Amino acid sequence: MRTEAEAAGPQLEPGDFVQLPVPIIQQLYHWDCGLACSKMVLRYLGQLDDGEFEGALQELRLTRSIWTIDLAYLMSHFGVRHRFCTQTLGVDKGYKNQSFYRKHFDTEETRVNQLFAQAKSCKVLVEKWNVQHQRQ
């Protein structure tokens, strides 16, 4: 019988790395980097059907304003185990004056804060962590 450590494989030393055959998917627009990354993860895991992905985007109402919490819901939709760690449980007000967010910030703030508030009941794991990777 193997121990958990043996089952997990060899321990990595500083400077070691693991290379995974994750497919590269190019962004279509200037705003969809998170969606392209999500597609890469889903395709790597063998869970990406373009029609299902587009359907999930419509169901979750992910159109042109994608926040990281949206990506957590997207991964949850596809059954991908994950944990979203963030310094701010809700909208970071610092984004309000950035040109990308300025036009729709007020309506997006409400929507995004609702996603954070409903995360636990929707089985989306969100944890507040600081920069030093310590739970707060």
Side-chain angles (χ1 to χ4, degrees), residues 2 8 14 23 42 51 65 67 70 74 76 98 108 116 118 127:
R2 294 169 42 174
L42 291 167
S65 181
W67 294 64
D70 290 313
L74 182 62
S76 183
Q98 291 187 11
E108 283 298 287
F116 274 96
Q118 298 167 350
E127 291 185 17

Side-chain angles (χ1 to χ4, degrees), residues 103-121:
K103 186 176 181 182
H104 301 287
F105 187 87
D106 293 331
T107 55
E108 283 298 287
E109 180 179 25
T110 301
R111 182 186 74 80
V112 170
N113 284 333
Q114 285 178 339
L115 290 175
F116 274 96
Q118 298 167 350
K120 187 173 184 178
S121 66

Side-chain angles (χ1 to χ4, degrees), residues 22-112:
V22 177
I24 296 171
I25 296 177
Q26 189 171 1
Q27 290 176 232
L28 299 176
Y29 309 100
H30 72 282
W31 53 266
D32 70 340
C33 56
L35 293 178
C37 291
S38 296
K39 277 184 165 183
M40 289 188 284
V41 168
L42 291 167
R43 186 149 304 147
Y44 169 75
L45 294 173
Q47 297 184 24
L48 183 65
D49 170 272
D50 288 336
E52 285 181 272
F53 189 79
E54 292 303 318
L57 296 183
Q58 294 303 314
E59 183 179 327
L60 297 170
R61 297 185 202 144
L62 304 181
T63 53
R64 290 192 56 131
S65 181
I66 310 297
W67 294 64
T68 310
I69 188 71
D70 290 313
L71 302 177
Y73 274 79
L74 182 62
M75 290 294 110
S76 183
H77 177 88
F78 283 99
V80 176
R81 270 186 38 198
H82 67 284
R83 177 182 308 155
F84 171 32
C85 299
T86 179
Q87 293 181 50
T88 308
L89 292 174
V91 170
D92 181 340
K93 299 263 190 197
Y95 290 123
K96 186 171 187 155
N97 294 318
Q98 291 187 11
S99 60
F100 181 79
Y101 295 100
R102 192 177 301 130
K103 186 176 181 182
H104 301 287
F105 187 87
D106 293 331
T107 55
E108 283 298 287
E109 180 179 25
T110 301
R111 182 186 74 80
V112 170

Side-chain angles (χ1 to χ4, degrees), residues 116-129:
F116 274 96
Q118 298 167 350
K120 187 173 184 178
S121 66
C122 293
K123 296 182 175 41
V124 175
L125 182 57
V126 178
E127 291 185 17
K128 185 173 182 176
W129 280 46

